[in-house]
Amino acid sequence: MKKLRVGILFGGRSGEHEVSLLSAACVVSAIDKSKFEVVPIGITKAGRWLTAGDAELLLQGKAAPVQSHLRAGDPDATPGAAVLATGQAVVVPPEPQRPGGSLAAFQSEALTRRASDRAINVDIIFPVLHGTFGEDGTIQGLFELADIAYVGAGVLGSAAGMDKDVMKSLFLAAGLPIVKHVTVLRSDWESAPKKVQKLVESKLKYPVFVKPANLGSSVGISKARERKELAPAMEEAAKFDRKIVIEEGVGGKKHKAREIECSVLGNDKPAASVAGEIVPGKEFYDYTAKYLDEGSQLIIPAKLSKAETKKIQQLAISAFKAVDCSGLARVDFLMDPKNRKIYLNEINTMPGFTAISMYPKLWAASGLAYPELIERLIRLGQERHEEKKRNQYSK
Ligand SMILES: Nc1ncnc2c1ncn2[C@@H]1O[C@H](COP(=O)(O)OP(=O)(O)O)[C@@H](O)[C@H]1O
Ligand SMILES: [Mg+2]
């Protein structure tokens, strides 16, 4: 049987570039090579695309196991970094129905190669990209234009899942429990900060969390415990987005929220994994706690009652459907430790995907091992592409 050619796309322009290199390294080393042929495709931090070229050879060797996040950018440590260091640059316009691959490279530094060699010749793309330009619908738009199958949520699900303001509107419309929040524009804040402060204080109690609407990895997020911390928190968030979401802190002044996560897998009939809990080593799960210290703990399964677990799983599936997701998503919850009230915090359509990340670990604990999970995601991507082919685009 002919092996399916899977383009593993990694890196990218987001703040989670390094995390993507780690996730991709794990996918490349775990994917079943008897069924799939891996085509690594790197995107530099500046947004330049690089095809494997000679770097593909590196991938056939022993892809170094992921030791530490700090070595993500070292060519010896992750195959992704090696591709970024030695791959050939290409410019990639979409070209549906092009023989030999629908992402056609029309320019290459390797001018001596035949044009047919320069197309990115893959059957499906697995965008192992987190955050902006990877998880927000933009790259998914390129795949749609190229009519190429890909893993994960489509344009709408990705974009809706990325924007915390739109996501909350969709959750509310679906009747799902979220914390009280206010959304303001950066321009509103800049022109009338006092008015914004009044609005926030009329709707929410301190502490509040102030977040840029479209980002991830806790970048730009701060906790304002009282009035004097609101302005600096707003200024920080305003660096990253024109839309700022302010929400009431779960747990109030005295308690930390419990952080429960659940993995969802599927297309039209998604399934939920067991729930897991994160115990951040810091006051909240900020960027340092996520990637830089060892102090955070994952507890699988989360210590919840049967009924609570069931509720989390149902809410996770509802959240997945509410943003029109497909393939995979990790759905994150906040629980008030005093009254055990559960709030939906967010959905991540391309969650951290190293072998030790929460998303795959929750599936492993639910009986689906990492290599099988990768295969399942590829099959789901193919299935959705086939399903979409049934649509007519004109009469
Ligand atoms: N309303 C809230 N109440 C309590 N903690 C919160 C709240 N919102 C965010 N946090 C804390 O901040 C972290 C990051 O916020 P989150 O909305 O998940 O952003 P990101 O998309 O960057 O992960 C959460 O994991 C949690 O620790
Ligand atoms: Mg989060």
Side-chain angles (χ1 to χ4, degrees):
M1 210 177 74
K2 190 179 153 279
K3 286 190 200 177
L4 200 74
R5 285 173 64 87
V6 182
I8 307 283
L9 202 54
F10 55 83
R13 291 164 64 196
S14 88
E16 288 153 292
H17 177 99
E18 285 75 19
V19 186
S20 164
L21 294 190
L22 294 178
S23 293
C26 288
V27 173
V28 167
S29 74
I31 193 169
D32 185 341
K33 314 245 181 357
S34 70
K35 293 179 185 156
F36 306 108
E37 191 182 330
V38 170
V39 181
I41 308 163
I43 304 176
T44 66
K45 263 214 116 148
R48 210 155 176 237
W49 286 49
L50 299 166
T51 50
D54 301 335
E56 201 156 358
L57 295 172
L58 290 169
L59 292 173
Q60 289 159 10
K62 297 167 268 21
V66 177
Q67 304 288 354
S68 152
H69 48 273
L70 294 173
R71 284 166 53 76
D74 176 350
D76 292 329
T78 61
V83 173
L84 293 177
T86 61
Q88 292 145 357
V90 286
V91 177
V92 184
E95 202 179 309
Q97 279 141 31
R98 181 182 198 278
S102 41
L103 285 175
F106 63 66
Q107 234 178 58
S108 169
E109 283 172 356
L111 290 172
T112 50
R113 301 179 74 193
R114 283 173 299 132
S116 59
D117 291 340
R118 280 189 251 124
I120 294 177
N121 178 8
V122 292
D123 299 307
I124 185 164
I125 289 190
F126 190 160
V128 190
L129 297 167
H130 311 298
T132 326
F133 308 120
E135 199 176 338
D136 62 358
T138 51
I139 198 109
Q140 288 75 12
L142 178 66
F143 304 147
E144 292 291 342
L145 291 174
D147 193 22
I148 195 164
Y150 59 96
V151 168
V155 173
L156 179 66
S158 301
M162 187 75 192
D163 187 302
K164 294 188 196 304
D165 174 52
V166 171
M167 174 171 69
K168 283 177 189 289
S169 304
L170 294 172
F171 288 165
L172 275 179
L176 304 174
I178 60 170
V179 293
K180 280 194 224 159
H181 77 287
V182 180
T183 300
V184 298
L185 297 179
R186 171 163 60 200
S187 54
D188 293 339
W189 166 252
E190 284 166 356
S191 60
K194 270 265 149 350
K195 207 168 134 197
V196 168
Q197 180 199 306
K198 278 213 180 93
L199 174 75
V200 168
E201 292 179 351
S202 72
K203 305 232 168 179
L204 314 173
K205 285 203 282 282
Y206 289 105
V208 295
F209 281 80
V210 181
K211 315 177 176 182
N214 285 274
L215 221 68
S217 287
S218 303
V219 174
I221 297 185
S222 16
K223 179 176 179 177
R225 289 159 199 81
E226 51 186 329
R227 176 177 293 172
K228 73 171 192 312
E229 292 180 350
L230 182 65
M234 292 295 293
E235 296 296 338
E236 178 64 11
K239 289 184 200 161
F240 299 96
D241 204 342
R242 59 176 272 282
K243 237 175 10 176
I244 300 164
V245 174
I246 305 114
E247 53 182 74
E248 204 160 280
V250 174
K253 283 203 190 314
K254 296 209 192 78
H255 302 272
K256 260 206 264 187
R258 285 180 66 183
E259 309 211 26
I260 313 288
E261 305 190 342
C262 183
S263 297
V264 181
L265 176 68
N267 286 339
D268 288 357
K269 292 191 175 57
S273 70
V274 300
E277 177 161 5
I278 290 188
V279 183
K282 300 192 58 190
E283 176 159 4
F284 73 95
Y285 204 33
D286 65 5
Y287 188 89
T288 345
K290 280 181 180 169
Y291 305 115
L292 305 175
D293 37 81
E294 312 288 309
S296 301
Q297 258 184 291
L298 306 191
I299 301 171
I300 300 172
K303 293 195 180 70
L304 297 170
S305 70
K306 269 213 177 91
E308 285 165 343
T309 301
K310 191 146 185 242
K311 182 169 181 201
I312 294 271
Q313 290 171 324
Q314 284 167 345
L315 287 173
I317 289 174
S318 302
F320 187 91
K321 291 180 175 168
V323 302
D324 195 18
C325 206
S326 45
L328 75 164
R330 198 192 69 224
V331 181
D332 298 350
F333 299 85
L334 296 166
M335 186 189 219
D336 191 322
K338 297 181 307 262
N339 54 20
R340 300 184 78 88
K341 257 191 101 162
I342 294 164
Y343 301 91
L344 194 49
N345 178 35
E346 61 161 343
I347 187 164
N348 295 283
T349 55
M350 194 50 75
F353 207 84
T354 68
I356 57 158
S357 300
M358 187 61 118
Y359 183 86
K361 278 185 90 166
L362 287 176
W363 278 119
S366 310
L368 187 64
Y370 189 61
E372 282 84 67
L373 174 64
I374 294 169
E375 173 163 4
R376 187 89 187 88
L377 286 170
I378 292 169
R379 302 296 175 209
L380 286 166
Q382 285 184 300
E383 177 192 297
R384 194 173 52 111
H385 189 62
E386 286 306 312
E387 159 83 23
K388 203 159 182 183
K389 277 193 192 149
R390 294 176 49 195
N391 298 352
Q392 282 181 211
Y393 294 104
S394 55
K395 189 110 171 93

